[in-house]
Structures are given as C-alpha cells and as structure tokens.
Amino acid sequence: KREIEREMYAVTPPQRSDLGSNYGLRVYQTWKGSNIFCLQGRFIFGPDARSLGLTISLIVVPVIVFCIFVASKLMDDFSDTWGVSIVTVAVVFTIYDIILLMLTSGRDPGIIPRNSHPPEPEVIDGNSGTSQTPRLPRVKEVEVNGNIFKVKYCDTCMLYRPPRCSHCSICNNCVERFDHHCPWVGQCIAQRNYRFFFMFVFSTTLLCVYVLAFCCVYIRKIKESEDITIWKAMLKTPASIALIIYTFICMWFVGGLTGFHLYLISTNQTTYENFRYSYDRRSNPHNKGVVDNFKEIFCSAIPPSKNSFRAMVPREAAPMPSRSAVGGFMSPNMGRGNDEIEMGRKGVWAMAEHGDDKNGSNNERFHVNDDELGDIRTTTDDDEQSGSRPNIHPRHSSWEMSPEVMALASRRT
C-alpha cells in the first residue's frame, strides 16, 4: 500500500526534453521594461547604456594623458619608489573608479516585478443600494512605524507602489527607493545601487583632485629647475594646463554632486523626494538621525534582487520580444510619452462612478513595520467580509510579484 501511495504522490523530475518543449525563453528575453541585458541576463542596463562609453572615456583618457605627459616626467624628479607610486596610484584609482561605475550601472537597482494581471476591482455599494459598481482605488494608505503614506497604483506595472517607490519613465519600471535616473551611468539610481553611485561620484572627485595637484607640482618643478616664471613654465607643459582646466571644471560638477548627496544621506532623503516634497516645512518621516542615516546607506546589507532574469518562463506565457540589443531585448513601450506609460490602462478607473472619492478617502489602510516592506502584500479572501464593509472582496494581491517569475525561481532553487 505504501508503495502505491509513493507512486501516486511521487513527483517525477522534468526531463531535458520536457524543459526544452515547455520552457523556451528566459525572463530577460521577455522583459517588458526598456532595459538592455548583457551576457545572457547577467548584467542589466538602462536604455541609455551607450552613454557609459562616453563616461568611461571622460575618466580614462585624461588619466592616460596624465600618466604619459606628467607622471612619467615626475618619475625623474623623485626617487624610484615615489616616482613609480605616482603612476601606480593613478592607475589603481582609475580601475577602482571604473569598477564602481559598472557596479552602479550593470546591476538591478531595485526593480519591482510587474503583476501578470491587474488586481480585481473591489465591489462597493451603489447609491441605490441595489447596484454595485466595481472600483479600484487609485490611492491606498499604508502605515509604516506609525507614519501614514499614500501609495499609488501603477497602471503599467499593475501594482500599488510601496512607499519611496516610483516609476521610471525612461526604464519603464517601478523601482524601490527611487533616487533619480542618471544618464551618465545609464541606469536608475535606487535602493540596490545608490551606495555604489555615491562611492563612484566621491572617488571621481578624489581622482580629479589627485590629477590637478600633481599637474601643479609638475609646473612648479619646471619653474624651479629652469629658474623661469610660472607662466613660462606653464607654456612648456600644455598637457598639464589642459588637465588643470579639465579637472577644475569636473571638480565643480562631481564635487558639488558629492556634497549634495552627503546632505541627502544625512537627512535620509532621495533626490526625487527633495525636489518633489518640502521636508523643511514638515517632519521627514524617514529621518532616523545623522548616524543612523549613514549606517542605513553604507552599513546595512543590500537586499537581494526581486528578479531572476535568467529563470525560464513557460513558452505559452512568454510574449514575443520586440527587438534585441546587446544580447537583450527592448520593450515595445520605449519611445512612448510619460503620460501614456503611466496612464496606459484607464479602463479600471472608467468603471468608477463620478461620485467616487478621487482623493482616496475610501482607501484601505495597511499596518506594517519598516522591515516588512519587502514582503508586503494584501491578503486574498474569496469569502464575503462581515462588519461595516460587507461587500468588499480583495481577490488578487496588487503587491504580489509576477507569479511566473516566483514559481520558476522556486523551481530552480
């Protein structure tokens, strides 16, 4: 009898032939955002990833000029150890800067997977008492650590965006703790890459200071060795003059950006929140104090990605990609206006009566802790609710991740 039960409930592992017939594409090949994938989904970039070439050249080319025309000349004026260290520090610092750039640009910034279907509209009583009008609230309230946040529904991703989440119109994704989309790195700056972005900007500032300082040292060495004026010494090394002007201009840009983000980190704000909200007029609900704010950015563990880009998806559930680029696929939504992307599906809102509250007065409120935001989801209940709100039926969770991605990720683990 036990043998028969084992045969009945035993799960036969899928064969390679079955996998080949049912699972033909991976998640990155069916991605609906505007991202570019490289190395079969191992790296994810924004649609403007070509700007990375310009950013890298703006860093590497001046360093090469510095090593050839300035650092190599200073090797003769210093001892062997000091002379070689000038070139070595410049090269190592540049490599470190490029690594931080790639960590910022080539990783998932914190994309929230889209729902495969929109949540079913809630049923509320009509004015007549007999008719019922399906309605999906545009805004819901979430209480986090005693603070109430209004979360909005994203028509593109078909989910309610968690607090501090925003939809990037360039990448066409909802991103957690969205800071801004940086065209210089070709990626959204958000929860999972903000630390590397700040370190990249700060290290670039230090690299500019390093090059500018040794260019000034080289000009002074020429002046002292040939006993000429400072202007004549500058004319003898035009490469140093060009580097001084270039690094001075860059220092104002990256240095100012470093100072601005130091202020944002100390007050626990994002660039998006700083430009959109006025925290100086009211208390910032995210501010934990300067020390704790810096610990949150630099000492806390980076949350894992909610996306498994290399997971297999069922062939029948996988839509055909629009076009490929650098081993990835571009979204058909790319090139649409922001309003069309954000408000692409208005059928659900049109079903609501004109008398419904547009400011979300009938919104549901969820009570969660700050550390539970990553797993927040509404409950699923097909039975009628009893009490003051008897006809509300929350069927499908609007917080849930894509079922295909979650099922396939668990299958692979």
Side-chain angles (χ1 to χ4, degrees):
K1 184 177 179 180
R2 292 182 179 178
E3 294 295 332
I4 295 175
E5 291 179 353
R6 289 179 182 176
E7 293 179 1
M8 291 177 59
Y9 296 101
V11 179
T12 304
Q15 304 296 327
R16 292 184 178 271
S17 59
D18 296 336
L19 290 175
S21 60
N22 296 329
Y23 299 92
L25 297 176
R26 297 182 183 272
V27 171
Y28 79 91
Q29 293 174 315
T30 62
W31 191 253
K32 295 181 180 180
S34 301
N35 302 92
I36 297 176
F37 294 87
C38 292
L39 297 180
Q40 298 181 347
R42 291 179 174 87
F43 295 94
I44 176 174
F45 299 92
D48 49 354
R50 294 181 180 178
S51 61
L52 269 177
L54 175 62
T55 304
I56 293 175
S57 63
L58 290 175
I59 298 173
V60 174
V61 172
V63 174
I64 293 176
V65 173
F66 171 77
C67 292
I68 295 176
F69 296 99
V70 178
S72 61
K73 306 296 182 180
L74 288 174
M75 292 175 62
D76 300 333
D77 298 329
F78 291 94
S79 60
D80 295 338
T81 304
W82 283 100
V84 174
S85 64
I86 296 174
V87 179
T88 303
V89 171
V91 173
V92 172
F93 218 125
T94 303
I95 295 174
Y96 172 72
D97 204 31
I98 298 300
I99 291 175
L100 289 175
L101 174 61
M102 298 307 299
L103 288 174
T104 303
S105 180
R107 68 187 291 127
D108 177 8
I111 299 173
I112 299 179
R114 304 184 182 195
N115 283 340
S116 59
H117 52 76
E120 290 188 5
E122 300 170 356
V123 178
I124 58 177
D125 291 335
N127 297 328
S128 62
T130 57
S131 62
Q132 293 181 345
T133 304
R135 179 178 181 270
L136 186 64
R138 185 183 294 269
V139 178
K140 287 189 176 183
E141 290 183 351
V142 177
E143 184 176 347
V144 182
N145 295 334
N147 298 309
I148 299 176
F149 300 92
K150 290 185 177 181
V151 295
K152 298 181 180 179
Y153 181 81
C154 178
D155 298 273
T156 303
C157 300
M158 295 182 289
L159 51 81
Y160 283 94
R161 295 193 288 256
R164 312 193 81 177
C165 172
S166 182
H167 189 94
C168 177
S169 59
I170 299 176
C171 295
N172 197 17
N173 297 310
C174 280
V175 187
E176 288 186 293
R177 203 187 185 277
F178 177 80
D179 190 89
H180 70 286
H181 183 94
C182 181
W184 294 99
V185 303
Q187 182 62 281
C188 291
I189 308 302
Q191 186 178 32
R192 299 189 69 250
N193 63 350
Y194 181 80
R195 177 186 306 176
F196 301 108
F197 170 76
F198 176 81
M199 294 171 65
F200 164 71
V201 174
F202 181 66
S203 63
T204 304
T205 304
L206 295 181
L207 183 61
C208 289
V209 173
Y210 182 84
V211 172
L212 187 147
F214 275 99
C215 286
C216 294
V217 170
Y218 181 53
I219 293 175
R220 185 177 180 84
K221 286 288 183 180
I222 295 176
K223 175 182 177 299
E224 293 177 353
S225 61
E226 299 185 11
D227 194 17
I228 56 179
T229 62
I230 190 70
W231 300 108
K232 291 182 178 180
M234 293 171 63
L235 293 176
K236 287 183 173 292
T237 173
S240 297
I241 301 302
L243 288 174
I244 290 175
I245 296 174
Y246 176 78
T247 54
F248 182 78
I249 296 174
C250 290
M251 280 176 56
W252 281 102
F253 176 71
V254 294
L257 196 60
T258 301
F260 175 67
H261 280 280
L262 281 173
Y263 162 73
L264 293 180
I265 294 173
S266 63
T267 56
N268 204 336
Q269 297 184 61
T270 63
T271 303
Y272 180 80
E273 293 170 346
N274 182 264
F275 280 91
R276 184 165 183 175
Y277 307 115
S278 298
Y279 282 139
D280 55 343
R281 299 178 183 176
R282 59 186 180 90
S283 176
N284 181 1
H286 308 291
N287 193 355
K288 303 175 183 179
V290 176
V291 176
D292 290 335
N293 291 338
F294 272 89
K295 286 182 178 180
E296 181 180 340
I297 297 297
F298 297 106
C299 301
S300 61
I302 298 177
S305 174
K306 290 181 171 61
N307 302 277
S308 180
F309 299 111
R310 289 176 51 78
M312 303 296 292
V313 295
R315 188 182 296 273
E316 61 273 9
M320 292 302 295
S322 57
R323 66 185 181 93
S324 60
V326 198
F329 292 83
M330 303 297 291
S331 169
N333 292 328
M334 184 179 178
R336 298 183 182 180
N338 296 349
D339 296 337
E340 184 179 358
I341 292 176
E342 285 286 340
M343 305 300 296
R345 300 177 179 86
K346 298 183 180 179
V348 178
W349 315 119
M351 297 171 67
E353 293 182 348
H354 295 288
D356 292 337
D357 186 6
K358 296 182 180 180
N359 295 325
S361 60
N362 293 327
N363 300 335
E364 297 182 23
R365 180 177 297 178
F366 303 96
H367 301 267
V368 297
N369 296 324
D370 194 13
D371 55 353
E372 296 175 351
L373 288 177
D375 299 326
I376 187 170
R377 61 177 65 232
T378 56
T379 58
T380 303
D381 187 9
D382 291 334
D383 301 329
E384 279 198 359
Q385 305 291 325
S386 59
S388 60
R389 304 175 65 181
N391 295 321
I392 295 178
H393 295 266
R395 300 291 181 88
H396 297 290
S397 168
S398 56
W399 292 93
E400 64 184 0
M401 290 188 283
S402 174
E404 293 85 359
V405 177
M406 292 295 295
L408 290 166
S410 62
R411 179 192 297 270
R412 292 179 65 86
T413 55

